[in-house]
């Protein structure tokens, strides 16, 4: 029998899972674990995404967690840079690698990298990083010295990292400590003694899917597929992975939309009571990225363009009762909130209280300026 819940119940449960209602008394690495990783291409955004979910936090927490090996930083879901825990991160990387992008003819033609060259490339990177972290320039120099790899230098120097991402997904490299303004790369096992490696996809899938549903359920297979790889993983493979969970999955009807949750979470979900909470979340926040900006239960259809902007930029958002109800930006000491007109009357007291909380996190005076329209 399929259980029936409302959208507001689902979002209330998800807000709790995201440590947004209530805020959690947890460590930074627990936040990252709960969210299945945190997108980390914008340093200020990743710092704020983790701090707004914690009762107590300090500037530089991310840097210290990376230095101590409690977190690693690498290319992960959707080919973007994420913070991951070294214990669970390999499961997500494994599913990214399962797409085997480096075996596609178009990819091989673009980089002149057949199976033989790819195997040589992986070996060259492994040898180069065995002695410790290297800057991009140092890594490129070590690779192109190998016969048969001199032609990949230009592609490796690209900041997009297209050639290096599949290595990250296979656990061959991750980001290392910066040298001034220069990025370095190192092996995950050198970045953290907690690194547990990259399991085979069949072993990784139940772990990764269960973790995703704990954070973003109720969710569909398409939600998971888009969050993981923006559709680069085949649906047949995805259905097989979900089927492996068997009775661990429960199906719910969310106002006419069929979605999955973990069976162990179903009773808690059914008991969820819609809240009345407002949160200011930074750009690229997992609350939006997890279900995807196309999920109209989180981002109203008419406002996707307000949230998902040009060049892949995801705006800072105002979340009210689990739904994106506006965007915001920091302009000097002003927090300028653009409240969506169709979201009803802005709850000024709640928004200003959240601005005050943000001021405490950033340790600076801030003034809330609310516009609706």
């Amino acid at each position: 029998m399929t259980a029936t819940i409302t959208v507001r119940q689902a979002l209330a449960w998800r807000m709790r899972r995201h440590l947004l209602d209530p805020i959690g008394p947890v460590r930074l690495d627990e936040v990252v674990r709960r969210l299945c990783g945190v997108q980390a291409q914008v340093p200020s955004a990743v710092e704020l995404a983790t701090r707004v979910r914690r009762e107590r936090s300090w500037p530089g927490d991310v840097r210290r967690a990376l230095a101590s090996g409690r977190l690693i930083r690498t290319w992960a879901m959707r080919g973007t840079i994420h913070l991951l825990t070294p214990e669970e991160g390999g499961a997500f990387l494994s599913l990214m690698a399962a797409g085997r992008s480096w075996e596609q003819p178009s990819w091989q033609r673009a980089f002149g990298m057949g199976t033989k060259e790819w195997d040589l490339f992986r070996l060259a990177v492994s040898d180069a990083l065995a002695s410790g972290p290297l800057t991009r320039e140092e890594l490129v120099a070590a690779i192109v010295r190998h016969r048969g790899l001199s032609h990949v230098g230009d592609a490796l120097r690209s900041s997009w990292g297209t050639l290096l991402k599949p290595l990250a997904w296979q656990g061959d490299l991750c980001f290392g400590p910066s040298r001034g303004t220069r990025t370095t790369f190192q092996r995950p096992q050198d970045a953290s003694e907690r690194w547990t490696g990259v399991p085979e996809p069949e072993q990784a899938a139940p772990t990764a899917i269960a973790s995703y549903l704990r954070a973003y359920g109720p969710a569909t297979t398409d939600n998971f597929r888009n969050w993981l790889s923006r559709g680069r993983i085949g649906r047949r493979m995805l259905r097989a992975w979900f089927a492996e969970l068997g009775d661990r999955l429960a199906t719910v009807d969310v106002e006419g939309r069929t979605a999955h949750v973990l069976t162990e979470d179903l009773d808690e979900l059914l008991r969820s009571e819609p809240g009345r909470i407002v949160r200011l979340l930074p750009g690229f926040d997992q609350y939006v990225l997890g279900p995807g900006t196309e999920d109209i239960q989180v981002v109203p259809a008419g406002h996707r363009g307000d949230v998902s902007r040009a060049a892949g930029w995801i705006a800072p958002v105002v979340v009210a009762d689990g739904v994106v109800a506006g965007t915001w930006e920091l302009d000097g000491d002003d927090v300028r909130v653009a409240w969506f007109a169709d979201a009803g009357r802005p709850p000024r007291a709640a928004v200003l209280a959240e601005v005050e909380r943000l001021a405490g996190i950033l340790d600076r005076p801030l003034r809330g300026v609310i516009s609706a329209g």
Side-chain angles (χ1 to χ4, degrees), residues 128-129 132-143 156 164 176-186:
L129 295 180
L134 297 176
T135 65
R136 186 185 296 269
E137 294 78 10
E138 291 167 341
L139 181 59
V140 172
I143 292 170
L156 286 171
L164 296 177
S178 297
R179 292 190 199 165
T181 59
R182 292 192 296 174
T183 295
T184 72
F185 300 98
Q186 64 183 144

Side-chain angles (χ1 to χ4, degrees), residues 29 37 48 154 195 201 228-230 235 245 342 359 366:
D29 48 326
L48 191 53
D154 288 343
W195 173 248
L228 179 69
S229 66
R230 276 292 166 203
R235 283 190 169 86
L245 275 83
D342 51 6
L366 295 174

Side-chain angles (χ1 to χ4, degrees), residues 37 57 65 72 119 138 147 149 171 187 207 211 254 274 276 348 363 365:
S57 63
I72 63 169
D119 291 342
E138 291 167 341
R147 180 178 297 178
L149 295 178
R187 301 182 304 181
T207 299
S211 295
V254 188
R276 299 193 63 80
R348 295 186 62 86
D363 193 22

Side-chain angles (χ1 to χ4, degrees), residues 27-29 32 37-43 46-47 50 54 60-75 81-86 133 174-178 183-184 186-195:
R27 287 164 49 113
L28 169 60
D29 48 326
V32 174
V38 177
Q39 190 160 321
Q41 290 177 234
V42 180
V46 69
E47 188 91 19
T50 56
R54 300 165 64 205
D61 278 349
V62 169
R63 174 179 52 79
R64 287 186 288 271
L66 290 169
S68 68
R70 289 188 291 117
L71 296 175
I72 63 169
R73 183 171 176 264
T74 192
W75 281 295
I81 300 171
H82 277 69
L83 297 182
L84 299 173
T85 62
C174 65
F175 289 95
S178 297
T183 295
T184 72
Q186 64 183 144
R187 301 182 304 181
Q189 61 265 38
D190 297 329
S192 175
E193 62 182 15
R194 305 181 185 193
W195 173 248

Side-chain angles (χ1 to χ4, degrees), residues 15 41 70 111 160 195 224 227 238 297 307 317 337 355:
M15 289 283 281
Q41 290 177 234
R70 289 188 291 117
F111 298 108
W160 294 106
W195 173 248
F224 180 77
W227 167 80
L238 189 70
Q297 292 182 345
V307 176
V317 296
V337 173
V355 169

Side-chain angles (χ1 to χ4, degrees), residues 93 97 100 102 118 122 165-173 195 198:
L93 298 177
R100 305 189 72 81
W102 60 92
W118 179 255
R122 288 191 70 188
K165 290 178 183 181
L167 297 180
W169 302 332
Q170 294 174 89
D172 294 335
L173 60 74
W195 173 248
V198 177

